[in-house]
Amino acid sequence: MTVLVTGANGFVGSTLCSKIARDGMQTRGAVRLFSTGQRNTETIDVGEVSSKTNWFSALENVQQVVHCAARVHMVNERSSTPLAAFRSVNVEGTANLARQAAATGVRRFVFLSSVKVNGEFTETGHPFTADDVPAPEDPYGVSKLEAEQLLRQIAAETGMEVVIIRPPLVYGPGVKANFESMMRWLARGVPLPLAAVTENRRSLVALDNLVDLIVTCLNHPAAANQTFLVSDGEDLSTAQLLKRMGAALGRPARLFYLPPTLLKLGASVLNRPGIYQRLYGSLQLDIAKTRQLLGWTPTMSVDDGLRRAAESFRL
């Protein structure tokens, strides 16, 4: 059995390829720019992902596809037409791959979506569920929702099974962006004015847990044509996350109290209201459906996941 993994040299894709190979399945990695590939993984350069990408050579003798490649959410968006840019890759590129996959006899198509399809924030104690009405708020989330809708349509027309997974923030060895910045602040002992942020709750997912669920979804009969949320199963406040990440790094978090109103004012003055919401707001995922339908449970605890991330971190 051969599994095609797109974005195979990315943060999720590279770990997924290794896991699939360890489990005894043949992997083929599709990448945008040629790389040396990984042990036990054949690598094919498919170029840019778009409505014109030719996937047929990559899909030869493939029974399952995991589509990780995407134009990802960016805090500092540079495109003057971000929704069009996201749609080109995440919607049109995904639909093009799915149609070619169905035409070549692929049995199951696993799509790595995002919890941003559900929305940006939740009330504490009221998590998103997989079957909630979608409510994306930014171009990235809109593009992921539109891709999901097209995939379901293609599945209905062709009989190819589609599985959709919506993760929250993914962390682990080699993590970048805001999570890496957080680790850098903690490792350097930077005092952070977040001691008061103890009432919010945020779901995260360790890379190993996400990859384990993806592999489960490749073959589990009950996964066919379903949508799943995924997390570590333990939600943390911002202060808890900082303290436990600091412990994993061996550098206790230096948190001090600052009234939330002052932090909110500072974010407003800097024209970065999203920063305040990400630090003080909640984003919780209910993974009961994932547990019950698949019999799946996170294989790694939050603390073990944080330690794994810390082990690979370098200042």
Side-chain angles (χ1 to χ4, degrees):
M1 181 174 292
T2 299
V3 182
L4 175 68
V5 177
T6 72
N9 53 356
F11 177 54
V12 176
S14 58
T15 300
L16 176 62
C17 286
S18 298
K19 167 67 173 172
I20 292 172
R22 287 198 305 272
D23 287 356
M25 293 182 284
Q26 182 69 35
T27 58
R28 182 177 298 152
V31 298
R32 182 171 61 86
L33 296 173
F34 182 76
S35 64
T36 55
Q38 297 182 316
R39 184 180 180 183
N40 299 324
T41 300
E42 174 190 2
T43 303
I44 296 179
D45 182 354
V46 295
E48 297 286 345
V49 176
S50 73
S51 61
K52 295 182 170 58
T53 308
N54 187 329
W55 293 93
F56 284 109
S57 61
L59 288 164
E60 186 177 1
N61 297 321
V62 164
Q63 292 78 45
Q64 299 158 311
V65 171
V66 182
H67 188 35
C68 299
R71 187 178 193 270
V72 298
H73 171 72
M74 290 174 279
V75 175
N76 297 310
E77 177 60 62
R78 296 180 180 179
S79 173
S80 59
T81 55
L83 182 54
F86 281 118
R87 279 175 169 157
S88 176
V89 177
N90 297 349
V91 183
E92 298 162 18
T94 297
N96 176 48
L97 169 59
R99 290 190 183 100
Q100 292 183 48
T104 56
V106 167
R107 177 176 63 83
R108 182 168 289 186
F109 190 105
V110 179
F111 178 58
L112 194 63
S113 185
S114 168
V115 75
K116 282 178 168 286
V117 168
N118 287 73
E120 295 290 330
F121 305 104
T122 59
E123 293 183 22
T124 303
H126 298 276
F128 286 133
T129 73
D131 298 319
D132 285 343
V133 176
E137 296 183 21
D138 68 359
Y140 174 72
V142 170
S143 73
K144 285 293 192 177
L145 172 58
E146 292 178 354
E148 290 184 10
Q149 292 168 335
L150 277 176
L151 286 172
R152 293 189 187 99
Q153 179 182 329
I154 292 168
E157 293 170 351
T158 66
M160 181 177 69
E161 297 171 350
V162 166
V163 185
I164 295 165
I165 300 174
R166 296 179 188 158
L169 187 151
V170 185
Y171 67 96
V175 67
K176 302 295 183 185
N178 291 339
F179 204 94
E180 182 185 32
S181 297
M182 178 190 69
M183 290 195 292
R184 184 171 291 110
W185 298 335
L186 291 168
R188 290 176 175 172
V190 175
L192 300 171
L194 299 170
V197 194
T198 59
E199 299 302 317
N200 71 326
R201 291 293 182 272
R202 299 192 73 89
S203 298
L204 309 173
V205 65
L207 178 59
D208 293 86
N209 284 334
L210 174 58
V211 164
D212 186 72
L213 177 62
I214 293 172
V215 172
T216 298
C217 287
L218 281 173
N219 295 300
H220 199 297
N225 302 313
Q226 295 290 337
T227 299
F228 298 106
L229 301 185
V230 59
S231 77
D232 292 332
E234 179 186 3
D235 300 339
L236 306 178
S237 69
T238 299
Q240 285 175 323
L241 173 60
L242 290 166
K243 290 176 181 178
R244 289 163 74 168
M245 186 73 251
L249 289 164
R251 298 294 301 272
R254 299 178 63 190
L255 307 183
F256 66 93
Y257 178 83
L258 185 72
T261 51
L262 290 182
L263 190 61
K264 187 174 184 179
L265 177 62
S268 178
V269 169
L270 295 172
N271 197 29
R272 300 293 292 275
I275 292 178
Y276 174 84
Q277 189 61 60
R278 283 192 293 274
L279 291 172
Y280 278 83
S282 292
L283 179 60
Q284 293 179 273
L285 284 66
D286 181 346
I287 62 170
K289 175 182 175 181
T290 311
R291 292 178 183 271
Q292 293 165 6
L293 203 59
L294 303 179
W296 181 84
T297 190
T299 59
M300 181 171 286
S301 69
V302 171
D303 289 321
D304 285 342
L306 294 176
R307 278 193 289 271
R308 286 266 290 147
E311 287 168 0
S312 68
F313 175 74
R314 297 290 183 272
L315 270 175

